[in-house]
Amino acid sequence: MFVLLKTFFIGVVLGLLAAAGVLYAVPAVDQKREASIVTVAPNGGNTEVFHSRIPMDQILQGDPRQAGSVPPGLEWPSDEILANVRAELFKIRNAQGVIVGVAARTAAKTDDTDVIDWVLHLPARGSLFVNMDVTPREGGFRLGQIRSGSREFSLLHGFMTERWVETASDDEDAPTGRIELSATYASTLEPLDTEEAAE
């Protein structure tokens, strides 16, 4: 079962990377590159924050455990191997709220292990693949390792945190909240203390 799930996730990641490669070679649009908004991390490296406003930035939600789906009417495959797999796709925004790319989040549960992965794709810059810890840490965030990247991110390593931030606004058209992704990365020659920086 675990081997089939790994094969499924590898297929998803390879599909996203292949699509990104095709779009890079034959761009459908002339993607404007927004200036990177980074800060220097206290323990080395640079930190860049992205977020997705929910529900307006949610493109797809496939979850066999929930009745609602995004877009409405989406039918999740009934294959047994996908019974405990959740897939989501979001627009991602930079710190100024400008949409700079898309992000895919996949989560799977088996008898042996749980898996949560993120793939962030910024068309003007490249892609990041992050494997998250399943158990949230104190403060309600998850920590994950950057496993690989393409183009601008290909020679970087580091980690990313994921957390849910509720919206305090009572406005009718306000988002219910946002998913905040904070990536800290450095060159392959620069060491990063993941645990210390996460605290």
Side-chain angles (χ1 to χ4, degrees), residues 67-175:
S69 61
V70 178
L74 173 71
E75 293 187 12
W76 193 243
S78 58
D79 298 20
E80 183 179 344
I81 190 173
L82 300 177
N84 292 311
V85 175
R86 176 187 175 109
E88 298 171 282
L89 188 63
F90 307 93
K91 302 172 189 175
I92 52 173
R93 300 172 183 266
N94 63 14
Q96 293 182 337
V98 178
I99 296 173
V100 292
V102 293
R105 184 183 192 271
T106 52
K109 183 178 181 63
T110 69
D111 295 335
D112 301 318
T113 187
D114 294 346
V115 178
I116 297 178
D117 293 327
W118 278 94
V119 176
L120 278 65
H121 177 61
L122 286 67
R125 298 172 60 189
S127 301
L128 278 174
F129 173 67
V130 185
N131 178 241
M132 308 296 293
D133 293 340
V134 176
T135 305
R137 305 218 168 186
E138 186 176 350
F141 69 92
R142 284 191 175 87
L143 179 67
Q145 290 288 330
I146 296 174
R147 298 297 183 188
S148 63
S150 66
R151 295 167 54 198
E152 184 177 310
F153 304 105
S154 61
L155 298 178
L156 301 180
H157 70 104
F159 61 93
M160 186 177 80
T161 61
E162 165 201 332
R163 71 179 181 132
W164 170 254
V165 180
E166 288 190 16
T167 299
S169 173
D170 293 329
D171 292 345
E172 188 175 328
D173 58 348

Side-chain angles (χ1 to χ4, degrees), residues 21-106:
V22 169
L23 288 173
Y24 177 71
V26 186
V29 295
D30 184 14
Q31 180 69 36
K32 176 187 174 186
R33 189 196 192 287
E34 294 289 333
S36 302
I37 304 172
V38 299
T39 57
V40 178
N43 300 302
N46 295 317
T47 298
E48 190 169 10
V49 179
F50 306 98
H51 68 274
S52 292
R53 299 171 185 165
I54 304 302
M56 50 277 295
D57 289 341
Q58 192 169 33
I59 301 170
L60 178 142
Q61 175 182 299
D63 188 345
R65 297 164 295 182
Q66 292 186 358
S69 61
V70 178
L74 173 71
E75 293 187 12
W76 193 243
S78 58
D79 298 20
E80 183 179 344
I81 190 173
L82 300 177
N84 292 311
V85 175
R86 176 187 175 109
E88 298 171 282
L89 188 63
F90 307 93
K91 302 172 189 175
I92 52 173
R93 300 172 183 266
N94 63 14
Q96 293 182 337
V98 178
I99 296 173
V100 292
V102 293
R105 184 183 192 271
T106 52

